[in-house]
Amino acid sequence: MAFSPQDPDEPITQINVVPLVDIMLVLLIIFMLTASFISTPSVPVRLPKSYTSDPSLPRSFSIVLNTKDEVFYQGKQIAKEDLTNQLKASAATNPELRVVLSADDAVTHGKVIELLDLVRQAGVTQVALGVEKP
């Protein structure tokens, strides 16, 4: 859009949309940030503590095991047999698939190893254990 010089005595007849665009971009950024917080599913578990944990993991899928021996994949409860099939399908499309395995600290070591074995059987080799800093 070409602008012509305007005489100072003439009234302003054009709308300046730059402030409107600035406000809309700020609102877009706010909505994008809050949407990422809302869409992240959460299963209430008490994670074990670790001083050497690294919170800067790349995008990955989450598997959670709670004290009732229920498995949650991406925030939705799933049977262990279905978990293997789901992971196989995901690993087929993405060979660099990463999984974060989080288990309540009251869950026995054997249950965690059993779930880890199911993940490995599905062909997923990049597995991290979910912990939180004390």
Side-chain angles (χ1 to χ4, degrees), residues 3 18 23 38 50 52 66 75 84:
F3 291 102
V18 173
I23 290 172
I38 293 171
S50 171
T52 60
N66 66 9
T84 305

Side-chain angles (χ1 to χ4, degrees), residues 45-48 63-67 69-71 80 83 99-121 127-131:
V45 293
R46 211 175 70 210
L47 294 175
I63 299 174
V64 179
L65 178 66
N66 66 9
T67 55
D69 201 29
E70 297 171 332
V71 178
K80 290 181 182 178
L83 174 67
V99 171
V100 177
L101 177 59
S102 302
D104 194 282
D105 63 356
V107 173
T108 63
H109 181 70
K111 297 284 185 184
V112 175
I113 296 300
E114 177 186 335
L115 191 57
L116 181 60
D117 189 44
L118 287 175
V119 172
R120 298 287 302 227
Q121 286 175 10
V127 180
L129 298 177
V131 294

Side-chain angles (χ1 to χ4, degrees), residues 30-97:
I30 290 171
F31 286 134
M32 287 172 49
L33 287 175
T34 56
S36 68
F37 292 131
I38 293 171
S39 68
T40 305
S42 176
V43 177
V45 293
R46 211 175 70 210
L47 294 175
K49 310 286 190 239
S50 171
Y51 287 103
T52 60
S53 65
D54 184 13
S56 61
L57 287 174
R59 172 102 170 94
S60 56
F61 292 103
S62 68
I63 299 174
V64 179
L65 178 66
N66 66 9
T67 55
K68 298 176 187 173
D69 201 29
E70 297 171 332
V71 178
F72 293 86
Y73 179 68
Q74 293 297 92
K76 296 179 183 175
Q77 189 172 357
I78 190 170
K80 290 181 182 178
E81 301 79 26
D82 296 335
L83 174 67
T84 305
N85 296 333
Q86 186 79 18
L87 285 173
K88 280 181 183 177
S90 297
T93 59
N94 182 9
E96 296 296 317
L97 180 68

